[in-house]
Amino acid sequence: LVKIPIVRQKKSQHPITRAVLPYGYNVITSVVEVANAEALVAKYVSELSDEDVAADSLLPDWSRGHVLSHLANNARGLSNLVEWALTGVQKDMYVSVEQRAIDIENDAKRSGKEIVADFLEQSKIFATNLDRLVAGPLLSEEIVLGNGSHVHPHEITTLRERELLVHLVDLGLDYKANDWTLTWSIKTLKSISAGKRKEPVKFRLLIAGDHTWTMDQNGMTDIFGTPQSLAAWLMGREPDDKLVTSDGSPLGNPPLWL
């Protein structure tokens, strides 16, 4: 008899479960937290009228329809990355940066009802794909985001939760940056302070109580504030509460993020 060797699937070094998904820099986001964020956005947008969706968001040149279309397409893009992780075959998040922008513009021209329905449908599809990611196994332990960052597939949960909670603020409804939880704000500061961004932050430290994040080791000035306001500012948004500098100098406009 010919002995056939048994090929065992290599286990991920970052085991994934429904309860907790590991993320780089020891940041943790669970599937449940993503589901809660999806449900929170759905609660705010499900009953919006066509006029409500067509109204301006807090983002320059974007209506609420643009924001919701982006969130729907973000779910599609992240689902592509789930396929990449599970099959080992590269499937880009978006066709290109340019096509991503074109798709948002075109999708924002739809009626408000269509835009909201698309967001809700893509949220459901993405939840199903997260279940598949949980089940595994992973055939690729590195995927590439639309901005070119190389990440582990388990970071998809943190990326989606952040998109939802940040853009919920951008919709300009009754949800503010100060509604972000302390835990989420600290987790987000930990990840984005070390991540890719369009405009460098020239301040040395961001300080919130006992928590400190290093930005520019050559900087001379620190910023003090709540985690929620520091996170909003670091992501290019105006904070709800005042931030102060260690030397009393003006803070300036929030730096460009992504």
Side-chain angles (χ1 to χ4, degrees):
L1 294 177
V2 178
K3 187 175 182 180
I4 300 175
I6 298 174
V7 179
R8 291 184 172 86
Q9 175 67 42
K10 181 181 177 182
K11 290 185 178 180
S12 168
Q13 294 178 349
H14 308 276
I16 192 169
T17 68
R18 168 158 287 282
V20 174
L21 298 177
Y23 173 76
Y25 307 108
N26 296 318
V27 178
I28 303 297
T29 298
S30 70
V31 173
V32 173
E33 287 172 307
V34 177
N36 289 342
E38 298 276 7
L40 184 62
V41 177
K43 183 183 80 169
Y44 275 90
V45 307
S46 292
E47 301 303 321
L48 293 180
S49 67
D50 287 350
E51 293 74 19
D52 291 332
V53 176
D56 290 341
S57 74
L58 299 183
L59 295 177
D61 303 320
W62 269 21
S63 67
R64 289 173 178 151
H66 284 85
V67 176
L68 288 171
S69 295
H70 165 60
L71 284 175
N73 290 340
N74 174 261
R76 289 185 177 93
L78 292 176
S79 289
N80 287 343
L81 297 184
V82 170
E83 290 294 331
W84 182 348
L86 292 176
T87 65
V89 178
Q90 181 171 344
K91 190 170 186 180
D92 293 334
M93 189 171 182
Y94 303 112
V95 173
S96 68
V97 174
E98 294 77 17
Q99 189 61 49
R100 169 185 175 273
I102 292 171
D103 288 343
I104 293 172
E105 285 297 330
N106 289 337
D107 291 347
K109 295 174 184 176
R110 298 171 298 176
S111 71
K113 299 293 184 187
E114 289 177 291
I115 290 172
V116 170
D118 184 34
F119 164 73
L120 296 175
E121 178 65 19
Q122 293 306 316
S123 293
K124 292 178 182 177
I125 293 172
F126 179 68
T128 300
N129 285 326
L130 274 189
D131 285 341
R132 295 172 58 225
L133 188 67
V134 169
L138 300 183
L139 296 186
S140 177
E141 296 207 0
E142 182 179 85
I143 52 177
V144 182
L145 305 181
N147 64 8
S149 298
H150 291 244
V151 301
H152 191 279
H154 294 172
E155 298 189 21
I156 288 174
T157 53
T158 294
L159 294 168
R160 180 59 178 175
E161 182 193 34
R162 189 167 67 207
E163 286 287 320
L164 290 162
L165 295 182
V166 172
H167 286 311
L168 180 52
V169 172
D170 294 334
L171 287 171
L173 299 170
D174 294 327
Y175 187 86
K176 310 294 183 185
N178 275 353
D179 292 316
W180 294 335
T181 65
L182 180 65
T183 299
W184 184 84
S185 300
I186 291 173
K187 174 180 73 174
T188 299
L189 279 164
K190 192 172 185 179
S191 63
I192 65 175
S193 62
K196 193 172 184 178
R197 59 183 310 111
K198 282 185 178 179
E199 184 178 354
V201 176
K202 298 181 180 179
F203 293 93
R204 183 179 61 168
L205 300 175
L206 305 182
I207 302 172
D210 295 333
H211 298 278
T212 303
W213 299 270
T214 301
M215 299 306 301
D216 183 356
Q217 293 182 345
N218 296 318
M220 301 296 291
T221 307
D222 302 330
I223 305 176
F224 296 84
T226 64
Q228 289 89 338
S229 289
L230 286 170
W233 183 84
L234 196 58
M235 290 187 286
R237 274 76 177 169
E238 288 291 343
D240 289 337
D241 295 326
K242 185 178 180 181
L243 300 176
V244 297
T245 58
S246 56
D247 60 3
S249 60
L251 187 60
N253 293 326
L256 294 176
W257 180 35
L258 296 176

